[in-house]
Amino acid sequence: MKLFEKIPNPREIRRKLGLNQQEFWSKIGVTQSGGSRYESGRNMPKPVRELLRLVHIEQVDLSKVKREDFEIIEYLKDTHPDLYKSLRKAVKAQADMQSDAVTSA
């Protein structure tokens, strides 16, 4: 999903995650009533869409992200692209294995 891309159906995303409106929307700083309006079709501002994508689709825990993390990533990409690609593959493989383990359980 691209940056600021339209979120097709936030209600469906919330239901797949098994969260009520309060739990789902409060994680991105939106009130339950505001989230309800977005789920009913009201236009969602770009920053809210991006936070929804990061938190609920990409599963990023914003409380753990620091500016320094992004600086390290950029440094690694610029100075050691092969290492960056290798680490990216390893993380993806680990996530795939975890996903397979959950699916088969």
Side-chain angles (χ1 to χ4, degrees):
M1 179 167 271
K2 294 180 183 175
L3 186 68
F4 298 126
E5 188 174 309
K6 184 157 175 58
I7 303 295
N9 189 341
R11 179 180 289 134
E12 186 177 313
I13 294 167
R14 178 178 60 77
R15 287 183 176 162
K16 283 182 181 177
L17 293 171
L19 300 173
N20 65 38
Q21 286 183 335
Q22 178 67 35
E23 295 165 331
F24 183 84
W25 291 105
S26 67
K27 286 186 177 187
I28 60 172
V30 173
T31 63
Q32 179 275 323
S33 60
S36 178
R37 288 191 291 273
Y38 297 142
E39 289 184 17
S40 297
R42 178 172 277 179
N43 194 26
M44 195 182 312
K46 288 179 182 179
V48 174
R49 283 198 314 259
E50 188 59 11
L51 283 170
L52 191 151
R53 181 188 72 81
L54 287 170
V55 172
H56 294 301
I57 296 172
E58 300 293 336
Q59 300 291 305
V60 173
D61 182 349
L62 295 178
S63 68
K64 294 181 180 178
V65 178
K66 305 285 185 245
R67 178 179 175 85
E68 178 183 21
D69 298 328
F70 291 104
E71 292 169 350
I72 291 168
I73 291 166
E74 285 305 312
Y75 175 81
L76 188 59
K77 285 166 104 175
D78 291 344
T79 60
H80 304 285
D82 292 339
L83 177 58
Y84 175 78
K85 288 176 187 174
S86 174
L87 290 170
R88 213 168 123 193
K89 277 185 182 179
V91 168
K92 184 176 178 355
Q94 181 182 19
D96 290 346
M97 285 176 35
Q98 289 173 346
S99 177
D100 290 345
V102 169
T103 305
S104 64

